[in-house]
Short mmCIF file of all heavy atoms in Angstrom, two decimals:
data_model
loop_
_atom_site.label_atom_id
_atom_site.label_comp_id
_atom_site.label_asym_id
_atom_site.label_seq_id
_atom_site.Cartn_x
_atom_site.Cartn_y
_atom_site.Cartn_z
N THR A 309 -5.84 -41.46 -148.91
CA THR A 309 -4.46 -41.82 -149.20
C THR A 309 -3.58 -40.58 -149.13
O THR A 309 -4.02 -39.45 -149.35
CB THR A 309 -4.36 -42.45 -150.60
OG1 THR A 309 -5.04 -41.62 -151.54
CG2 THR A 309 -5.01 -43.83 -150.60
N GLU A 310 -2.31 -40.78 -148.84
CA GLU A 310 -1.39 -39.66 -148.63
C GLU A 310 -0.63 -39.27 -149.89
O GLU A 310 -0.49 -38.09 -150.20
CB GLU A 310 -0.38 -40.01 -147.53
CG GLU A 310 0.56 -38.89 -147.15
CD GLU A 310 -0.16 -37.72 -146.49
OE1 GLU A 310 -1.12 -37.97 -145.73
OE2 GLU A 310 0.25 -36.57 -146.72
N PHE A 311 -0.14 -40.24 -150.65
CA PHE A 311 0.74 -39.93 -151.79
C PHE A 311 0.15 -40.34 -153.13
O PHE A 311 0.78 -40.11 -154.16
CB PHE A 311 2.10 -40.62 -151.60
CG PHE A 311 2.85 -40.16 -150.39
CD1 PHE A 311 2.86 -40.90 -149.22
CD2 PHE A 311 3.55 -38.97 -150.40
CE1 PHE A 311 3.55 -40.48 -148.10
CE2 PHE A 311 4.25 -38.53 -149.28
CZ PHE A 311 4.24 -39.29 -148.13
N THR A 312 -1.00 -40.96 -153.14
CA THR A 312 -1.61 -41.45 -154.38
C THR A 312 -3.07 -41.05 -154.44
O THR A 312 -3.65 -40.63 -153.43
CB THR A 312 -1.51 -42.99 -154.46
OG1 THR A 312 -2.36 -43.57 -153.44
CG2 THR A 312 -0.09 -43.47 -154.25
N PRO A 313 -3.70 -41.18 -155.59
CA PRO A 313 -5.16 -41.01 -155.65
C PRO A 313 -5.85 -42.06 -154.78
O PRO A 313 -5.25 -43.07 -154.40
CB PRO A 313 -5.48 -41.22 -157.13
CG PRO A 313 -4.20 -40.88 -157.84
CD PRO A 313 -3.11 -41.34 -156.92
N PRO A 314 -7.12 -41.84 -154.43
CA PRO A 314 -7.81 -42.78 -153.53
C PRO A 314 -7.99 -44.15 -154.15
O PRO A 314 -7.90 -44.34 -155.36
CB PRO A 314 -9.16 -42.08 -153.27
CG PRO A 314 -9.34 -41.16 -154.43
CD PRO A 314 -7.97 -40.71 -154.81
N GLY A 315 -8.26 -45.13 -153.27
CA GLY A 315 -8.53 -46.50 -153.72
C GLY A 315 -7.31 -47.36 -153.86
O GLY A 315 -7.38 -48.42 -154.49
N CYS A 316 -6.17 -46.95 -153.27
CA CYS A 316 -4.91 -47.67 -153.44
C CYS A 316 -4.34 -48.13 -152.11
O CYS A 316 -4.52 -47.48 -151.08
CB CYS A 316 -3.86 -46.80 -154.14
SG CYS A 316 -4.34 -46.21 -155.75
N VAL A 317 -3.63 -49.24 -152.15
CA VAL A 317 -2.72 -49.66 -151.08
C VAL A 317 -1.31 -49.53 -151.66
O VAL A 317 -1.03 -50.08 -152.74
CB VAL A 317 -3.00 -51.10 -150.63
CG1 VAL A 317 -1.97 -51.55 -149.60
CG2 VAL A 317 -4.40 -51.22 -150.06
N SER A 318 -0.43 -48.80 -150.96
CA SER A 318 0.86 -48.50 -151.57
C SER A 318 1.96 -48.50 -150.52
O SER A 318 1.72 -48.32 -149.33
CB SER A 318 0.83 -47.14 -152.28
OG SER A 318 0.55 -46.10 -151.35
N LEU A 319 3.19 -48.71 -150.99
CA LEU A 319 4.40 -48.62 -150.18
C LEU A 319 5.34 -47.64 -150.88
O LEU A 319 5.69 -47.84 -152.04
CB LEU A 319 5.07 -49.99 -150.05
CG LEU A 319 6.39 -50.02 -149.27
CD1 LEU A 319 6.16 -49.71 -147.79
CD2 LEU A 319 7.06 -51.40 -149.42
N ILE A 320 5.71 -46.58 -150.17
CA ILE A 320 6.52 -45.53 -150.79
C ILE A 320 7.70 -45.22 -149.90
O ILE A 320 7.60 -45.23 -148.67
CB ILE A 320 5.67 -44.26 -151.04
CG1 ILE A 320 6.48 -43.19 -151.77
CG2 ILE A 320 5.11 -43.69 -149.75
CD1 ILE A 320 5.66 -42.02 -152.27
N ASN A 321 8.83 -44.93 -150.54
CA ASN A 321 10.03 -44.50 -149.83
C ASN A 321 10.02 -42.98 -149.79
O ASN A 321 10.12 -42.32 -150.84
CB ASN A 321 11.28 -45.02 -150.54
CG ASN A 321 12.55 -44.72 -149.77
OD1 ASN A 321 13.04 -43.59 -149.80
ND2 ASN A 321 13.09 -45.72 -149.10
N VAL A 322 9.90 -42.40 -148.61
CA VAL A 322 9.77 -40.95 -148.45
C VAL A 322 11.13 -40.38 -148.05
O VAL A 322 11.67 -40.71 -147.00
CB VAL A 322 8.72 -40.60 -147.37
CG1 VAL A 322 8.52 -39.09 -147.30
CG2 VAL A 322 7.40 -41.30 -147.67
N SER A 323 11.68 -39.53 -148.90
CA SER A 323 12.96 -38.88 -148.62
C SER A 323 12.85 -37.36 -148.59
O SER A 323 13.81 -36.69 -148.24
CB SER A 323 13.99 -39.28 -149.68
OG SER A 323 13.54 -38.95 -150.98
N GLU A 324 11.69 -36.81 -148.95
CA GLU A 324 11.44 -35.38 -148.90
C GLU A 324 10.33 -35.09 -147.90
O GLU A 324 9.38 -35.88 -147.76
CB GLU A 324 11.04 -34.84 -150.28
CG GLU A 324 12.14 -34.95 -151.32
CD GLU A 324 13.32 -34.04 -151.02
OE1 GLU A 324 13.10 -32.96 -150.42
OE2 GLU A 324 14.46 -34.40 -151.37
N PRO A 325 10.40 -33.97 -147.18
CA PRO A 325 9.38 -33.69 -146.17
C PRO A 325 8.02 -33.42 -146.78
O PRO A 325 7.89 -33.01 -147.94
CB PRO A 325 9.93 -32.43 -145.47
CG PRO A 325 10.79 -31.77 -146.51
CD PRO A 325 11.41 -32.90 -147.28
N CYS A 326 6.98 -33.67 -145.99
CA CYS A 326 5.60 -33.42 -146.40
C CYS A 326 5.18 -32.07 -145.81
O CYS A 326 4.81 -31.98 -144.65
CB CYS A 326 4.67 -34.53 -145.89
SG CYS A 326 5.16 -36.18 -146.42
N LEU A 327 5.25 -31.03 -146.61
CA LEU A 327 4.98 -29.67 -146.16
C LEU A 327 3.70 -29.14 -146.79
O LEU A 327 3.61 -27.98 -147.19
CB LEU A 327 6.17 -28.76 -146.49
CG LEU A 327 7.50 -29.22 -145.89
CD1 LEU A 327 8.64 -28.31 -146.32
CD2 LEU A 327 7.43 -29.29 -144.37
N GLY A 328 2.71 -30.00 -146.85
CA GLY A 328 1.41 -29.65 -147.40
C GLY A 328 0.50 -30.85 -147.34
O GLY A 328 0.91 -31.96 -146.97
N PRO A 329 -0.77 -30.70 -147.71
CA PRO A 329 -1.72 -31.83 -147.71
C PRO A 329 -1.45 -32.78 -148.87
O PRO A 329 -0.60 -32.51 -149.73
CB PRO A 329 -3.08 -31.13 -147.85
CG PRO A 329 -2.78 -29.83 -148.52
CD PRO A 329 -1.41 -29.42 -148.06
N PRO A 330 -2.14 -33.92 -148.92
CA PRO A 330 -1.84 -34.94 -149.94
C PRO A 330 -1.88 -34.45 -151.38
O PRO A 330 -1.07 -34.90 -152.19
CB PRO A 330 -2.91 -36.01 -149.68
CG PRO A 330 -3.21 -35.89 -148.22
CD PRO A 330 -3.11 -34.43 -147.92
N PHE A 331 -2.78 -33.54 -151.72
CA PHE A 331 -2.87 -33.14 -153.14
C PHE A 331 -1.65 -32.37 -153.61
O PHE A 331 -1.47 -32.16 -154.81
CB PHE A 331 -4.16 -32.34 -153.39
CG PHE A 331 -4.20 -30.97 -152.74
CD1 PHE A 331 -3.64 -29.88 -153.36
CD2 PHE A 331 -4.83 -30.79 -151.52
CE1 PHE A 331 -3.68 -28.62 -152.79
CE2 PHE A 331 -4.90 -29.54 -150.94
CZ PHE A 331 -4.31 -28.45 -151.57
N THR A 332 -0.78 -31.95 -152.69
CA THR A 332 0.43 -31.22 -153.08
C THR A 332 1.64 -32.12 -153.25
O THR A 332 2.69 -31.64 -153.72
CB THR A 332 0.76 -30.13 -152.04
OG1 THR A 332 1.07 -30.75 -150.78
CG2 THR A 332 -0.42 -29.19 -151.85
#
Side-chain angles (χ1 to χ4, degrees):
T309 49
E310 185 67 35
F311 297 100
T312 68
C316 301
V317 175
S318 62
L319 177 67
I320 184 170
N321 185 282
V322 184
S323 57
E324 295 293 329
C326 304
L327 302 177
F331 68 85
T332 64

